Amino acid sequence: MKNLYKAIMKRIITNPFFILGCIAAFAITLIISWNNSPVQLPISGNTNDKMIFLSAAIVAFFTIFVPLLTNIEYSDGVIRNKLISGYTQVQVYISSLLGHMTAAFIMWAVYMLAGILAGADMTGKFIFSNIVILVAILNYVATMMILAFRLRKMIPLVIGVMLVFQLCFNLVTIGNLFISLSKGTLNKIIVLIYNIPALGQWFSNTSLGEEFNNPGRPIQLLISIAVIIICTFIGTFRLNKRDLT
């Protein structure tokens, strides 16, 4: 599977859309996070606050990139050629998942570098928050991989991806209301559900919602790891028995 991983990574790092995405992540983070920048977000806060707010754009990017590249591999016969070479569909899936997770890490690292250059204060809390956001992005990538591999037609794939993204966004919006209205055990349950999607963990680590909807960063990490494991199981379940004809 090592060769499969190398192959997908070569396709990713040479993909013009990914390269432009990394350039945009660096430029936007650097320009907007810098306190003296003429371009400012309509939120108050220092460089650290602005950085975390901007990290949601990485989630938006992989909403498009994971399904797009996977669908291209299907349509161009790349995945079929891998199967003809003797690899199983599960091996192809896992290598693609690891490749896209690596791509997410690369973009996150670019975003972090830009933030450091913009003057971010590398406190323990800030670094831990960004690690939580990174793992949350990986859990989102794992979710997108299910759709990308199961929906091989472009139109159903686009519909599925947009529905999932909209669901995550609405969960954050509506979840804030339910969290503010609930108390006790019910509140704790809603907070945990709220932090399953990457956008929920993102918002709870911003300056806008840190206190009332964050169950704790270690718990957020555990939630994301659980999501990755579950999504990988769902994505690979009976995958080798699927007929690609």
Side-chain angles (χ1 to χ4, degrees), residues 1-45:
M1 200 164 67
K2 183 178 179 181
N3 290 333
L4 285 175
Y5 175 74
K6 288 182 178 179
I8 188 66
M9 282 308 303
K10 182 178 180 180
R11 289 177 67 86
I12 288 174
I13 62 177
T14 58
N15 184 280
F17 187 52
F18 178 70
I19 295 173
L20 288 174
C22 287
I23 293 173
F26 182 85
I28 293 172
T29 304
L30 179 62
I31 294 172
I32 296 181
S33 296
W34 181 41
N35 282 330
N36 296 323
S37 172
V39 182
Q40 295 292 332
L41 288 172
I43 61 169
S44 60

mmCIF file of all heavy atoms in Angstrom, residues 1-45:
data_model
loop_
_atom_site.group_PDB
_atom_site.id
_atom_site.type_symbol
_atom_site.label_atom_id
_atom_site.label_comp_id
_atom_site.label_asym_id
_atom_site.label_seq_id
_atom_site.Cartn_x
_atom_site.Cartn_y
_atom_site.Cartn_z
ATOM 1 N N MET A 1 0.821 -1.203 0.000
ATOM 2 C CA MET A 1 0.000 0.000 0.000
ATOM 3 C C MET A 1 0.862 1.263 0.000
ATOM 4 O O MET A 1 0.360 2.361 -0.232
ATOM 5 C CB MET A 1 -0.926 -0.009 1.214
ATOM 6 C CG MET A 1 -2.126 0.902 1.091
ATOM 7 S SD MET A 1 -3.422 0.547 2.284
ATOM 8 C CE MET A 1 -2.612 1.004 3.806
ATOM 9 N N LYS A 2 2.128 1.098 0.270
ATOM 10 C CA LYS A 2 3.046 2.231 0.272
ATOM 11 C C LYS A 2 3.082 2.909 -1.088
ATOM 12 O O LYS A 2 3.100 4.144 -1.181
ATOM 13 C CB LYS A 2 4.448 1.751 0.671
ATOM 14 C CG LYS A 2 5.478 2.865 0.771
ATOM 15 C CD LYS A 2 6.816 2.306 1.209
ATOM 16 C CE LYS A 2 7.867 3.397 1.287
ATOM 17 N NZ LYS A 2 9.190 2.839 1.706
ATOM 18 N N ASN A 3 3.089 2.105 -2.152
ATOM 19 C CA ASN A 3 3.112 2.669 -3.499
ATOM 20 C C ASN A 3 1.820 3.412 -3.826
ATOM 21 O O ASN A 3 1.835 4.424 -4.533
ATOM 22 C CB ASN A 3 3.355 1.566 -4.530
ATOM 23 C CG ASN A 3 4.764 1.012 -4.466
ATOM 24 O OD1 ASN A 3 5.695 1.703 -4.049
ATOM 25 N ND2 ASN A 3 4.941 -0.239 -4.859
ATOM 26 N N LEU A 4 0.685 2.908 -3.305
ATOM 27 C CA LEU A 4 -0.583 3.587 -3.507
ATOM 28 C C LEU A 4 -0.568 4.961 -2.841
ATOM 29 O O LEU A 4 -1.045 5.952 -3.408
ATOM 30 C CB LEU A 4 -1.737 2.752 -2.930
ATOM 31 C CG LEU A 4 -2.170 1.515 -3.711
ATOM 32 C CD1 LEU A 4 -3.232 0.750 -2.927
ATOM 33 C CD2 LEU A 4 -2.714 1.900 -5.082
ATOM 34 N N TYR A 5 -0.007 5.007 -1.640
ATOM 35 C CA TYR A 5 0.068 6.265 -0.918
ATOM 36 C C TYR A 5 0.970 7.259 -1.659
ATOM 37 O O TYR A 5 0.628 8.445 -1.795
ATOM 38 C CB TYR A 5 0.605 6.025 0.496
ATOM 39 C CG TYR A 5 0.827 7.295 1.288
ATOM 40 C CD1 TYR A 5 -0.251 8.008 1.802
ATOM 41 C CD2 TYR A 5 2.122 7.766 1.513
ATOM 42 C CE1 TYR A 5 -0.043 9.170 2.533
ATOM 43 C CE2 TYR A 5 2.331 8.928 2.240
ATOM 44 C CZ TYR A 5 1.247 9.630 2.742
ATOM 45 O OH TYR A 5 1.466 10.791 3.443
ATOM 46 N N LYS A 6 2.094 6.781 -2.152
ATOM 47 C CA LYS A 6 2.995 7.650 -2.909
ATOM 48 C C LYS A 6 2.314 8.183 -4.165
ATOM 49 O O LYS A 6 2.470 9.365 -4.519
ATOM 50 C CB LYS A 6 4.269 6.885 -3.302
ATOM 51 C CG LYS A 6 5.222 6.604 -2.153
ATOM 52 C CD LYS A 6 6.462 5.883 -2.662
ATOM 53 C CE LYS A 6 7.467 5.637 -1.548
ATOM 54 N NZ LYS A 6 8.668 4.910 -2.048
ATOM 55 N N ALA A 7 1.532 7.331 -4.809
ATOM 56 C CA ALA A 7 0.857 7.735 -6.040
ATOM 57 C C ALA A 7 -0.184 8.822 -5.784
ATOM 58 O O ALA A 7 -0.253 9.820 -6.505
ATOM 59 C CB ALA A 7 0.203 6.523 -6.692
ATOM 60 N N ILE A 8 -0.992 8.644 -4.735
ATOM 61 C CA ILE A 8 -2.028 9.642 -4.447
ATOM 62 C C ILE A 8 -1.403 10.941 -3.966
ATOM 63 O O ILE A 8 -1.883 12.042 -4.296
ATOM 64 C CB ILE A 8 -3.052 9.108 -3.415
ATOM 65 C CG1 ILE A 8 -4.222 10.091 -3.276
ATOM 66 C CG2 ILE A 8 -2.413 8.869 -2.073
ATOM 67 C CD1 ILE A 8 -5.073 10.249 -4.498
ATOM 68 N N MET A 9 -0.304 10.849 -3.221
ATOM 69 C CA MET A 9 0.358 12.064 -2.752
ATOM 70 C C MET A 9 0.961 12.846 -3.919
ATOM 71 O O MET A 9 0.930 14.086 -3.930
ATOM 72 C CB MET A 9 1.454 11.729 -1.737
ATOM 73 C CG MET A 9 0.941 11.415 -0.339
ATOM 74 S SD MET A 9 -0.174 12.688 0.318
ATOM 75 C CE MET A 9 0.821 14.166 0.222
ATOM 76 N N LYS A 10 1.478 12.130 -4.903
ATOM 77 C CA LYS A 10 2.025 12.806 -6.084
ATOM 78 C C LYS A 10 0.924 13.552 -6.822
ATOM 79 O O LYS A 10 1.116 14.684 -7.285
ATOM 80 C CB LYS A 10 2.693 11.787 -7.006
ATOM 81 C CG LYS A 10 3.342 12.418 -8.238
ATOM 82 C CD LYS A 10 4.042 11.377 -9.097
ATOM 83 C CE LYS A 10 4.681 12.025 -10.320
ATOM 84 N NZ LYS A 10 5.370 11.018 -11.178
ATOM 85 N N ARG A 11 -0.250 12.919 -6.921
ATOM 86 C CA ARG A 11 -1.369 13.568 -7.603
ATOM 87 C C ARG A 11 -1.855 14.786 -6.806
ATOM 88 O O ARG A 11 -2.265 15.794 -7.391
ATOM 89 C CB ARG A 11 -2.516 12.580 -7.801
ATOM 90 C CG ARG A 11 -2.229 11.502 -8.837
ATOM 91 C CD ARG A 11 -3.380 10.518 -8.939
ATOM 92 N NE ARG A 11 -4.578 11.143 -9.486
ATOM 93 C CZ ARG A 11 -4.847 11.273 -10.783
ATOM 94 N NH1 ARG A 11 -3.985 10.808 -11.677
ATOM 95 N NH2 ARG A 11 -5.961 11.838 -11.189
ATOM 96 N N ILE A 12 -1.820 14.681 -5.492
ATOM 97 C CA ILE A 12 -2.312 15.774 -4.652
ATOM 98 C C ILE A 12 -1.380 16.978 -4.697
ATOM 99 O O ILE A 12 -1.816 18.111 -4.941
ATOM 100 C CB ILE A 12 -2.498 15.303 -3.195
ATOM 101 C CG1 ILE A 12 -3.702 14.367 -3.092
ATOM 102 C CG2 ILE A 12 -2.683 16.496 -2.256
ATOM 103 C CD1 ILE A 12 -3.879 13.730 -1.724
ATOM 104 N N ILE A 13 -0.083 16.744 -4.451
ATOM 105 C CA ILE A 13 0.833 17.883 -4.338
ATOM 106 C C ILE A 13 1.117 18.548 -5.679
ATOM 107 O O ILE A 13 1.644 19.664 -5.722
ATOM 108 C CB ILE A 13 2.164 17.464 -3.669
ATOM 109 C CG1 ILE A 13 2.896 16.418 -4.518
ATOM 110 C CG2 ILE A 13 1.918 16.967 -2.258
ATOM 111 C CD1 ILE A 13 4.253 16.018 -3.953
ATOM 112 N N THR A 14 0.775 17.871 -6.787
ATOM 113 C CA THR A 14 0.935 18.486 -8.104
ATOM 114 C C THR A 14 -0.392 19.006 -8.653
ATOM 115 O O THR A 14 -0.429 19.542 -9.756
ATOM 116 C CB THR A 14 1.538 17.481 -9.110
ATOM 117 O OG1 THR A 14 0.687 16.318 -9.201
ATOM 118 C CG2 THR A 14 2.936 17.056 -8.685
ATOM 119 N N ASN A 15 -1.455 18.844 -7.871
ATOM 120 C CA ASN A 15 -2.769 19.302 -8.315
ATOM 121 C C ASN A 15 -2.839 20.830 -8.224
ATOM 122 O O ASN A 15 -2.610 21.400 -7.151
ATOM 123 C CB ASN A 15 -3.857 18.667 -7.439
ATOM 124 C CG ASN A 15 -5.254 19.026 -7.907
ATOM 125 O OD1 ASN A 15 -5.755 20.104 -7.623
ATOM 126 N ND2 ASN A 15 -5.883 18.105 -8.611
ATOM 127 N N PRO A 16 -3.166 21.516 -9.303
ATOM 128 C CA PRO A 16 -3.198 22.990 -9.302
ATOM 129 C C PRO A 16 -4.163 23.557 -8.267
ATOM 130 O O PRO A 16 -3.874 24.579 -7.638
ATOM 131 C CB PRO A 16 -3.648 23.335 -10.726
ATOM 132 C CG PRO A 16 -3.268 22.146 -11.548
ATOM 133 C CD PRO A 16 -3.442 20.966 -10.645
ATOM 134 N N PHE A 17 -5.300 22.893 -8.074
ATOM 135 C CA PHE A 17 -6.288 23.370 -7.109
ATOM 136 C C PHE A 17 -5.738 23.309 -5.697
ATOM 137 O O PHE A 17 -5.951 24.233 -4.896
ATOM 138 C CB PHE A 17 -7.568 22.542 -7.231
ATOM 139 C CG PHE A 17 -8.713 23.047 -6.399
ATOM 140 C CD1 PHE A 17 -9.122 24.368 -6.472
ATOM 141 C CD2 PHE A 17 -9.386 22.196 -5.535
ATOM 142 C CE1 PHE A 17 -10.174 24.835 -5.704
ATOM 143 C CE2 PHE A 17 -10.442 22.647 -4.764
ATOM 144 C CZ PHE A 17 -10.836 23.977 -4.848
ATOM 145 N N PHE A 18 -5.006 22.239 -5.371
ATOM 146 C CA PHE A 18 -4.414 22.121 -4.038
ATOM 147 C C PHE A 18 -3.309 23.147 -3.847
ATOM 148 O O PHE A 18 -3.213 23.763 -2.776
ATOM 149 C CB PHE A 18 -3.863 20.713 -3.824
ATOM 150 C CG PHE A 18 -3.197 20.524 -2.488
ATOM 151 C CD1 PHE A 18 -3.950 20.499 -1.321
ATOM 152 C CD2 PHE A 18 -1.814 20.387 -2.392
ATOM 153 C CE1 PHE A 18 -3.340 20.342 -0.077
ATOM 154 C CE2 PHE A 18 -1.198 20.226 -1.165
ATOM 155 C CZ PHE A 18 -1.964 20.201 -0.002
ATOM 156 N N ILE A 19 -2.490 23.339 -4.861
ATOM 157 C CA ILE A 19 -1.408 24.326 -4.769
ATOM 158 C C ILE A 19 -1.978 25.721 -4.547
ATOM 159 O O ILE A 19 -1.513 26.471 -3.679
ATOM 160 C CB ILE A 19 -0.543 24.292 -6.048
ATOM 161 C CG1 ILE A 19 0.184 22.943 -6.165
ATOM 162 C CG2 ILE A 19 0.467 25.437 -6.044
ATOM 163 C CD1 ILE A 19 0.917 22.747 -7.475
ATOM 164 N N LEU A 20 -3.010 26.068 -5.329
ATOM 165 C CA LEU A 20 -3.656 27.372 -5.159
ATOM 166 C C LEU A 20 -4.296 27.496 -3.780
ATOM 167 O O LEU A 20 -4.285 28.564 -3.169
ATOM 168 C CB LEU A 20 -4.708 27.577 -6.252
ATOM 169 C CG LEU A 20 -4.176 27.844 -7.664
ATOM 170 C CD1 LEU A 20 -5.332 27.883 -8.663
ATOM 171 C CD2 LEU A 20 -3.393 29.152 -7.715
ATOM 172 N N GLY A 21 -4.846 26.379 -3.286
ATOM 173 C CA GLY A 21 -5.450 26.379 -1.963
ATOM 174 C C GLY A 21 -4.431 26.681 -0.877
ATOM 175 O O GLY A 21 -4.708 27.446 0.056
ATOM 176 N N CYS A 22 -3.255 26.080 -0.993
ATOM 177 C CA CYS A 22 -2.197 26.329 -0.004
ATOM 178 C C CYS A 22 -1.697 27.770 -0.079
ATOM 179 O O CYS A 22 -1.453 28.409 0.951
ATOM 180 C CB CYS A 22 -1.041 25.353 -0.228
ATOM 181 S SG CYS A 22 -1.398 23.655 0.277
ATOM 182 N N ILE A 23 -1.557 28.271 -1.307
ATOM 183 C CA ILE A 23 -1.135 29.667 -1.472
ATOM 184 C C ILE A 23 -2.167 30.612 -0.864
ATOM 185 O O ILE A 23 -1.828 31.572 -0.166
ATOM 186 C CB ILE A 23 -0.921 29.990 -2.970
ATOM 187 C CG1 ILE A 23 0.267 29.199 -3.521
ATOM 188 C CG2 ILE A 23 -0.700 31.494 -3.174
ATOM 189 C CD1 ILE A 23 0.453 29.325 -5.021
ATOM 190 N N ALA A 24 -3.447 30.312 -1.113
ATOM 191 C CA ALA A 24 -4.522 31.140 -0.564
ATOM 192 C C ALA A 24 -4.551 31.061 0.958
ATOM 193 O O ALA A 24 -4.750 32.080 1.647
ATOM 194 C CB ALA A 24 -5.868 30.699 -1.142
ATOM 195 N N ALA A 25 -4.354 29.852 1.500
ATOM 196 C CA ALA A 25 -4.348 29.676 2.957
ATOM 197 C C ALA A 25 -3.246 30.517 3.589
ATOM 198 O O ALA A 25 -3.449 31.146 4.640
ATOM 199 C CB ALA A 25 -4.165 28.204 3.308
ATOM 200 N N PHE A 26 -2.082 30.531 2.954
ATOM 201 C CA PHE A 26 -0.963 31.312 3.479
ATOM 202 C C PHE A 26 -1.232 32.808 3.371
ATOM 203 O O PHE A 26 -1.100 33.546 4.355
ATOM 204 C CB PHE A 26 0.321 30.962 2.710
ATOM 205 C CG PHE A 26 1.534 31.682 3.214
ATOM 206 C CD1 PHE A 26 2.263 31.179 4.284
ATOM 207 C CD2 PHE A 26 1.946 32.877 2.632
ATOM 208 C CE1 PHE A 26 3.383 31.852 4.766
ATOM 209 C CE2 PHE A 26 3.061 33.555 3.103
ATOM 210 C CZ PHE A 26 3.773 33.043 4.174
ATOM 211 N N ALA A 27 -1.639 33.244 2.176
ATOM 212 C CA ALA A 27 -1.824 34.678 1.935
ATOM 213 C C ALA A 27 -2.961 35.252 2.773
ATOM 214 O O ALA A 27 -2.812 36.310 3.412
ATOM 215 C CB ALA A 27 -2.088 34.915 0.445
ATOM 216 N N ILE A 28 -4.100 34.551 2.798
ATOM 217 C CA ILE A 28 -5.260 35.064 3.536
ATOM 218 C C ILE A 28 -4.988 35.100 5.033
ATOM 219 O O ILE A 28 -5.303 36.080 5.714
ATOM 220 C CB ILE A 28 -6.505 34.210 3.226
ATOM 221 C CG1 ILE A 28 -6.915 34.399 1.756
ATOM 222 C CG2 ILE A 28 -7.663 34.581 4.146
ATOM 223 C CD1 ILE A 28 -8.016 33.470 1.299
ATOM 224 N N THR A 29 -4.381 34.029 5.549
ATOM 225 C CA THR A 29 -4.069 33.993 6.984
ATOM 226 C C THR A 29 -3.086 35.085 7.363
ATOM 227 O O THR A 29 -3.253 35.776 8.381
ATOM 228 C CB THR A 29 -3.493 32.620 7.384
ATOM 229 O OG1 THR A 29 -4.418 31.594 7.017
ATOM 230 C CG2 THR A 29 -3.244 32.551 8.877
ATOM 231 N N LEU A 30 -2.048 35.257 6.543
ATOM 232 C CA LEU A 30 -1.028 36.266 6.835
ATOM 233 C C LEU A 30 -1.608 37.672 6.790
ATOM 234 O O LEU A 30 -1.393 38.480 7.701
ATOM 235 C CB LEU A 30 0.119 36.138 5.826
ATOM 236 C CG LEU A 30 1.277 37.141 5.978
ATOM 237 C CD1 LEU A 30 1.964 36.955 7.328
ATOM 238 C CD2 LEU A 30 2.274 36.985 4.843
ATOM 239 N N ILE A 31 -2.363 37.951 5.736
ATOM 240 C CA ILE A 31 -2.873 39.314 5.540
ATOM 241 C C ILE A 31 -3.947 39.678 6.567
ATOM 242 O O ILE A 31 -3.909 40.750 7.171
ATOM 243 C CB ILE A 31 -3.429 39.468 4.109
ATOM 244 C CG1 ILE A 31 -2.294 39.353 3.086
ATOM 245 C CG2 ILE A 31 -4.149 40.811 3.949
ATOM 246 C CD1 ILE A 31 -2.759 39.296 1.645
ATOM 247 N N ILE A 32 -4.894 38.776 6.785
ATOM 248 C CA ILE A 32 -6.024 39.107 7.654
ATOM 249 C C ILE A 32 -5.663 38.979 9.135
ATOM 250 O O ILE A 32 -6.168 39.743 9.970
ATOM 251 C CB ILE A 32 -7.239 38.224 7.301
ATOM 252 C CG1 ILE A 32 -7.707 38.541 5.872
ATOM 253 C CG2 ILE A 32 -8.378 38.434 8.289
ATOM 254 C CD1 ILE A 32 -8.914 37.758 5.425
ATOM 255 N N SER A 33 -4.789 38.028 9.471
ATOM 256 C CA SER A 33 -4.452 37.832 10.892
ATOM 257 C C SER A 33 -3.529 38.916 11.428
ATOM 258 O O SER A 33 -3.508 39.178 12.639
ATOM 259 C CB SER A 33 -3.796 36.463 11.098
ATOM 260 O OG SER A 33 -4.692 35.431 10.795
ATOM 261 N N TRP A 34 -2.759 39.536 10.560
ATOM 262 C CA TRP A 34 -1.840 40.605 10.985
ATOM 263 C C TRP A 34 -2.645 41.773 11.541
ATOM 264 O O TRP A 34 -3.546 42.310 10.882
ATOM 265 C CB TRP A 34 -0.984 41.033 9.805
ATOM 266 C CG TRP A 34 0.016 42.108 10.118
ATOM 267 C CD1 TRP A 34 0.780 42.217 11.242
ATOM 268 C CD2 TRP A 34 0.333 43.218 9.283
ATOM 269 N NE1 TRP A 34 1.583 43.328 11.169
ATOM 270 C CE2 TRP A 34 1.338 43.974 9.969
ATOM 271 C CE3 TRP A 34 -0.082 43.659 8.034
ATOM 272 C CZ2 TRP A 34 1.891 45.132 9.444
ATOM 273 C CZ3 TRP A 34 0.473 44.809 7.498
ATOM 274 C CH2 TRP A 34 1.443 45.535 8.202
ATOM 275 N N ASN A 35 -2.341 42.182 12.754
ATOM 276 C CA ASN A 35 -3.131 43.227 13.422
ATOM 277 C C ASN A 35 -3.125 44.563 12.694
ATOM 278 O O ASN A 35 -4.088 45.326 12.774
ATOM 279 C CB ASN A 35 -2.636 43.432 14.867
ATOM 280 C CG ASN A 35 -3.147 42.348 15.795
ATOM 281 O OD1 ASN A 35 -4.218 41.797 15.592
ATOM 282 N ND2 ASN A 35 -2.348 42.031 16.813
ATOM 283 N N ASN A 36 -2.028 44.868 11.991
ATOM 284 C CA ASN A 36 -1.932 46.148 11.287
ATOM 285 C C ASN A 36 -2.385 46.074 9.835
ATOM 286 O O ASN A 36 -2.188 47.005 9.071
ATOM 287 C CB ASN A 36 -0.492 46.666 11.343
ATOM 288 C CG ASN A 36 -0.050 46.979 12.753
ATOM 289 O OD1 ASN A 36 -0.843 47.474 13.560
ATOM 290 N ND2 ASN A 36 1.206 46.696 13.076
ATOM 291 N N SER A 37 -2.998 44.946 9.475
ATOM 292 C CA SER A 37 -3.435 44.769 8.094
ATOM 293 C C SER A 37 -4.600 45.701 7.762
ATOM 294 O O SER A 37 -5.490 45.927 8.592
ATOM 295 C CB SER A 37 -3.863 43.313 7.868
ATOM 296 O OG SER A 37 -4.456 43.174 6.588
ATOM 297 N N PRO A 38 -4.608 46.234 6.533
ATOM 298 C CA PRO A 38 -5.746 47.072 6.119
ATOM 299 C C PRO A 38 -7.016 46.253 5.897
ATOM 300 O O PRO A 38 -8.106 46.802 5.821
ATOM 301 C CB PRO A 38 -5.252 47.696 4.811
ATOM 302 C CG PRO A 38 -4.233 46.725 4.294
ATOM 303 C CD PRO A 38 -3.564 46.175 5.511
ATOM 304 N N VAL A 39 -6.846 44.919 5.780
ATOM 305 C CA VAL A 39 -7.989 44.025 5.585
ATOM 306 C C VAL A 39 -8.322 43.387 6.931
ATOM 307 O O VAL A 39 -7.516 42.653 7.494
ATOM 308 C CB VAL A 39 -7.681 42.931 4.544
ATOM 309 C CG1 VAL A 39 -8.899 42.044 4.329
ATOM 310 C CG2 VAL A 39 -7.225 43.545 3.233
ATOM 311 N N GLN A 40 -9.508 43.644 7.439
ATOM 312 C CA GLN A 40 -9.888 43.155 8.754
ATOM 313 C C GLN A 40 -11.215 42.408 8.695
ATOM 314 O O GLN A 40 -12.099 42.751 7.912
ATOM 315 C CB GLN A 40 -10.014 44.319 9.751
ATOM 316 C CG GLN A 40 -8.706 45.041 10.025
ATOM 317 C CD GLN A 40 -7.709 44.193 10.789
ATOM 318 O OE1 GLN A 40 -8.074 43.305 11.551
ATOM 319 N NE2 GLN A 40 -6.419 44.458 10.587
ATOM 320 N N LEU A 41 -11.331 41.371 9.521
ATOM 321 C CA LEU A 41 -12.596 40.651 9.653
ATOM 322 C C LEU A 41 -13.554 41.448 10.531
ATOM 323 O O LEU A 41 -13.116 42.225 11.380
ATOM 324 C CB LEU A 41 -12.350 39.275 10.297
ATOM 325 C CG LEU A 41 -11.651 38.223 9.454
ATOM 326 C CD1 LEU A 41 -11.329 37.002 10.316
ATOM 327 C CD2 LEU A 41 -12.510 37.798 8.273
ATOM 328 N N PRO A 42 -14.855 41.256 10.328
ATOM 329 C CA PRO A 42 -15.836 41.982 11.154
ATOM 330 C C PRO A 42 -15.997 41.380 12.546
ATOM 331 O O PRO A 42 -17.096 41.219 13.055
ATOM 332 C CB PRO A 42 -17.126 41.855 10.337
ATOM 333 C CG PRO A 42 -16.975 40.564 9.617
ATOM 334 C CD PRO A 42 -15.505 40.470 9.262
ATOM 335 N N ILE A 43 -14.870 40.979 13.151
ATOM 336 C CA ILE A 43 -14.894 40.445 14.517
ATOM 337 C C ILE A 43 -13.754 41.082 15.295
ATOM 338 O O ILE A 43 -12.735 41.471 14.729
ATOM 339 C CB ILE A 43 -14.726 38.909 14.545
ATOM 340 C CG1 ILE A 43 -13.372 38.504 13.932
ATOM 341 C CG2 ILE A 43 -15.864 38.212 13.841
ATOM 342 C CD1 ILE A 43 -13.015 37.049 14.169
ATOM 343 N N SER A 44 -13.950 41.208 16.580
ATOM 344 C CA SER A 44 -12.893 41.754 17.417
ATOM 345 C C SER A 44 -11.967 40.629 17.854
ATOM 346 O O SER A 44 -12.351 39.465 17.877
ATOM 347 C CB SER A 44 -13.495 42.440 18.644
ATOM 348 O OG SER A 44 -14.242 41.513 19.409
ATOM 349 N N GLY A 45 -10.738 40.988 18.181
ATOM 350 C CA GLY A 45 -9.809 39.961 18.633
ATOM 351 C C GLY A 45 -8.405 40.201 18.126
ATOM 352 O O GLY A 45 -8.165 41.034 17.247
#
